[in-house]
Amino acid sequence: MKTLSARLLREVDGDRVRLLAKLSTGLVYMCFPILEIVTGELTGARAAWGVLGLVAFTACYVAAVLLVRTFGEPDRSTYWLLGAATVLAVALSAALGGSWTALPIFAVVLHAGMLRPRQSMACIAAMCLVVTLVGLLEEHDLGLTLLFLLQAVTLGALFRGMRSTRLLVAQLRRAQEEMARLAAGEERLRISRDLHDLLGHSLSLIVLKSELAGRLAEEGSERALPEIRDVEAVARKALVEVREAVAGYRRRGLPEELDGARAALEAAGTHVTVRLAGTPLPEELDGLLGWAVREGVTNVIRHARAGRCEIGVTSDGGATVLEIADDGRGAGPYEPGSGLRGLAERVEAAGGVVSAGPRRNGFVLRVTVPAAAGEARA
């Protein structure tokens, strides 16, 4: 966390330095007022006030850039610094005239690069008016006044465009960070669903076989040892499946899940009938129905205490239907658990529908998915 914070601070500082470098390109024109002081064209108190004014203006200029907290969203300190720089630019240009009339152009650069569009437009217009009035009052050459006006307009437009580009880049970064956050959340949800399905099925089978092995051991039957070995094998397989699910590599195929369902139900003392009809399924659809079989059979083992269970898969090329029906304790109030809700989310994401509920003699789970969903994902 500390490393991430330090990296973000370095990025923010780097952005500020780059922004300052861009906004300071116009400061090269500061050489003209400085030359008036160095060459003695400006002397006495006027030169002293000129030096102090330039130092204060430059300090406000740099501070306005470096102290901004969020680019594109000026705060109170930014407005104060911009206001001070603007007042100094207007005062120095009005008092000293000549090449000092370029200072409002520097203010234009700040306004265009730091303020919102409407605010910057108003400030740019105000600075253009200041340049015009100073030119008329100081009786400057018309060409020089027009040159200053042209610079104010073009630099204002240039840095407004730069501000818009930087804002778009910042918004793109935030969008990418949000997408990464959502992707991470979706991956955590996927892993939690996978672990729920994997562990729920495997642990149910382990419990059943452990109970059976315990009864057989009490009776002194030789079948207890094979059942214990089955428990060990199921536990090892569950461990491998969990690792593969976390790594995101495991493909849960329908045939594999049907074989596992048959073994688990028979271990629970439930007679199983499996019927398959129709065309082969696309890979993604095959995996989705595999998950549905796992969830449905886990619920049968946990809750139904069924004597019979029928699993049917029918695909006619237009839609694929999976139905898991049992003759267990299906009557009475029904409230879907987290497993069925997770399955419904998966199926709905593929354009399908899940229906589940009690029937006259037991419980039925039906999953219907259009074939086009599997083709689109394949």
Side-chain angles (χ1 to χ4, degrees):
M1 190 68 180
K2 292 181 178 179
T3 303
L4 178 60
S5 301
R7 183 173 62 83
L8 291 176
L9 286 174
R10 285 196 299 270
E11 290 180 358
V12 170
D13 291 341
D15 287 343
R16 289 173 176 174
V17 171
R18 286 190 291 271
L19 178 60
L20 178 62
K22 292 177 181 179
L23 292 180
S24 298
T25 54
L27 290 178
V28 65
Y29 294 101
M30 199 77 77
C31 64
F32 297 110
I34 294 175
L35 282 175
E36 288 190 7
I37 299 173
V38 173
T39 59
E41 185 177 343
L42 199 66
T43 58
R46 287 165 59 86
W49 282 112
V51 171
L52 292 175
L54 282 179
V55 171
F57 177 81
T58 304
C60 292
Y61 193 101
V62 174
V65 178
L66 295 182
L67 297 182
V68 64
R69 295 179 181 178
T70 304
F71 180 76
E73 295 296 332
D75 53 18
R76 182 176 298 179
S77 61
T78 302
Y79 283 120
W80 277 108
L81 290 168
L82 289 177
T86 302
V87 169
L88 286 169
V90 172
L92 290 172
S93 62
L96 302 178
S99 58
W100 296 80
T101 311
L103 290 181
I105 299 176
F106 303 143
V108 163
V109 172
L110 272 182
H111 298 153
M114 305 292 292
L115 297 179
R116 298 184 180 94
R118 291 185 179 180
Q119 296 173 332
S120 63
M121 283 294 294
C123 292
I124 291 171
M127 292 300 97
C128 288
L129 180 61
V130 169
V131 170
T132 303
L133 291 176
V134 171
L136 293 175
L137 293 174
E138 295 292 333
E139 297 182 353
H140 289 166
D141 178 69
L142 180 60
L144 181 62
T145 301
L146 291 177
L147 177 62
F148 284 154
L149 287 174
L150 179 62
Q151 288 179 336
V153 173
T154 54
L155 289 175
L158 173 64
F159 282 93
R160 280 193 64 196
M162 184 203 74
R163 177 185 182 276
S164 299
T165 301
R166 284 180 55 83
L167 282 177
L168 289 175
V169 171
Q171 292 171 359
L172 179 59
R173 286 180 180 175
R174 287 194 292 269
Q176 290 174 334
E177 292 171 356
E178 181 66 14
M179 289 175 63
R181 186 186 67 81
L182 293 175
E186 182 64 25
E187 183 65 10
R188 286 193 294 269
L189 180 60
R190 180 194 69 80
I191 292 175
S192 66
R193 286 196 306 244
D194 290 0
L195 291 178
H196 173 274
D197 294 341
L198 288 169
L199 294 178
H201 178 81
S202 300
L203 292 178
S204 297
L205 183 57
I206 289 172
V207 169
L208 288 169
K209 285 190 170 290
S210 298
E211 291 176 348
L212 177 59
R215 290 196 301 268
L216 293 173
E218 290 176 356
E219 297 171 359
S221 173
E222 295 180 354
R223 291 177 53 200
L225 183 57
E227 292 297 333
I228 292 296
R229 289 173 177 169
D230 285 347
V231 170
E232 180 185 1
V234 171
R236 290 183 182 277
K237 182 181 178 182
L239 180 60
V240 172
E241 289 177 341
V242 168
R243 287 172 176 170
E244 290 177 345
V246 171
Y249 296 137
R250 186 171 186 264
R251 290 288 184 180
R252 300 165 181 82
L254 181 59
E256 178 187 358
E257 296 297 348
L258 288 173
D259 291 340
R262 188 190 300 274
L265 287 168
E266 290 178 350
T270 304
H271 179 73
V272 188
T273 301
V274 178
R275 291 190 298 271
L276 301 175
T279 58
L281 302 178
E283 182 180 357
E284 292 294 335
L285 189 55
D286 183 83
L288 178 61
L289 293 184
W291 274 114
V293 168
R294 177 181 287 269
E295 179 58 34
V297 170
T298 299
N299 286 337
V300 172
I301 294 173
R302 283 181 175 177
H303 309 299
R305 295 185 181 178
R308 295 183 60 85
C309 180
E310 297 181 356
I311 304 174
V313 181
T314 305
S315 178
D316 59 5
T320 301
V321 179
L322 165 69
E323 185 173 287
I324 302 175
D326 64 73
D327 62 354
R329 300 182 304 177
Y334 162 68
E335 180 68 27
S338 60
L340 284 180
R341 287 195 295 269
L343 175 61
E345 292 175 0
R346 292 171 180 266
V347 174
E348 289 172 2
V353 178
V354 174
S355 61
R359 61 176 185 174
R360 184 175 180 180
N361 296 314
F363 191 90
V364 62
L365 168 68
R366 182 178 290 105
V367 177
T368 304
V369 184
E375 295 171 1
R377 290 167 172 261

